[in-house]
Amino acid sequence: MVVEYTVKRTGGPGEAVIFLNDREVAKLSKEDDQVTLISRDGERWNISRRVEGELRPFSMQVKHGEKSVLTIKDNLFKHKGKFYLFMGIPEGKPMREILLGRRFICRLDNFPFNEHHEIDHETRSRIRRFRGPAVGELDGLGKAGHKVKLEDELKDIGLQISACSYLIYSAG
């Protein structure tokens, strides 16, 4: 893995500090139903559990101003024309390794859809069995430190992915 983020809870759910290779790079602060990600240089992103106007489990939207930077819907997101799945099953790993501890972000090569809204209910229910190469690894809980390791292809949105991963899987 190329980059490693660690997210440590500082207060209530939605409040944390994010480290990149042991150097503090950002913080999360919760305001009502919205969480704000603030980098060390003052750049801000709004993170919401509302995706396409509705609250959904395992879903988040990150906006920089009015522009959407990252949309995770039912653990699935698209970046630079490729689909990725949180809680994916990496190629070559037996299911028993996936059930305990670490979780993975997998790239869904040859995924037959172009946009999230085209994926029907039946495909969504089977998508968790779709295997692909692991490009990210998620481990740990918020208080002890939620670790997010990412390959180079996700490095440009790594800060946003680490914040969303912490909020989805650690903070409740």
Side-chain angles (χ1 to χ4, degrees):
M1 300 290 159
V2 174
V3 294
E4 182 177 331
Y5 289 91
T6 303
V7 186
K8 293 186 178 178
R9 188 172 173 169
T10 58
E15 297 176 355
V17 176
I18 302 174
F19 298 87
L20 173 60
N21 301 326
D22 298 324
R23 184 177 54 95
E24 186 179 327
V25 293
K27 68 177 182 174
L28 290 169
S29 68
K30 186 171 173 94
E31 302 159 7
D32 300 323
D33 192 26
Q34 186 119 341
V35 175
T36 303
L37 172 63
I38 306 164
S39 70
R40 295 272 297 162
D41 62 5
E43 201 166 1
R44 300 171 74 90
W45 295 267
N46 294 319
I47 304 174
S48 174
R49 292 187 185 272
R50 287 196 179 276
V51 175
E52 297 172 359
E54 62 183 353
L55 291 170
R56 302 183 62 88
F58 304 106
S59 303
M60 297 213 145
Q61 184 160 39
V62 181
K63 288 187 176 184
H64 188 266
E66 292 299 311
K67 182 183 175 197
S68 180
V69 175
L70 175 65
T71 300
I72 302 166
K73 184 176 179 182
D74 302 324
N75 280 325
L76 184 68
F77 68 98
K78 188 175 182 181
H79 180 62
K80 294 185 178 177
K82 297 178 183 176
F83 280 96
Y84 298 88
L85 182 66
F86 276 93
M87 299 289 288
I89 302 169
E91 295 172 335
K93 293 240 186 225
M95 189 62 161
R96 68 182 171 274
E97 285 185 32
I98 309 306
L99 296 176
L100 302 171
R102 293 180 296 162
R103 296 172 296 273
F104 296 91
I105 298 173
C106 294
R107 184 179 61 243
L108 303 180
D109 293 336
N110 302 316
F111 192 63
F113 297 95
N114 294 324
E115 299 296 330
H116 291 131
H117 66 274
E118 293 179 18
I119 302 170
D120 60 51
H121 179 69
E122 184 178 330
T123 302
R124 278 202 184 276
S125 69
R126 292 186 319 210
I127 201 167
R128 299 233 328 114
R129 291 184 220 108
F130 196 100
R131 291 180 179 250
V135 295
E137 189 177 301
L138 317 169
D139 194 21
L141 299 174
K143 286 188 177 190
H146 180 70
K147 299 211 181 286
V148 179
K149 297 177 186 174
L150 300 169
E151 293 289 343
D152 192 45
E153 65 193 82
L154 296 176
K155 192 166 130 179
D156 58 326
I157 59 169
L159 182 61
Q160 293 83 7
I161 288 174
S162 62
C164 288
S165 174
Y166 166 77
L167 291 167
I168 289 173
Y169 300 113
S170 295

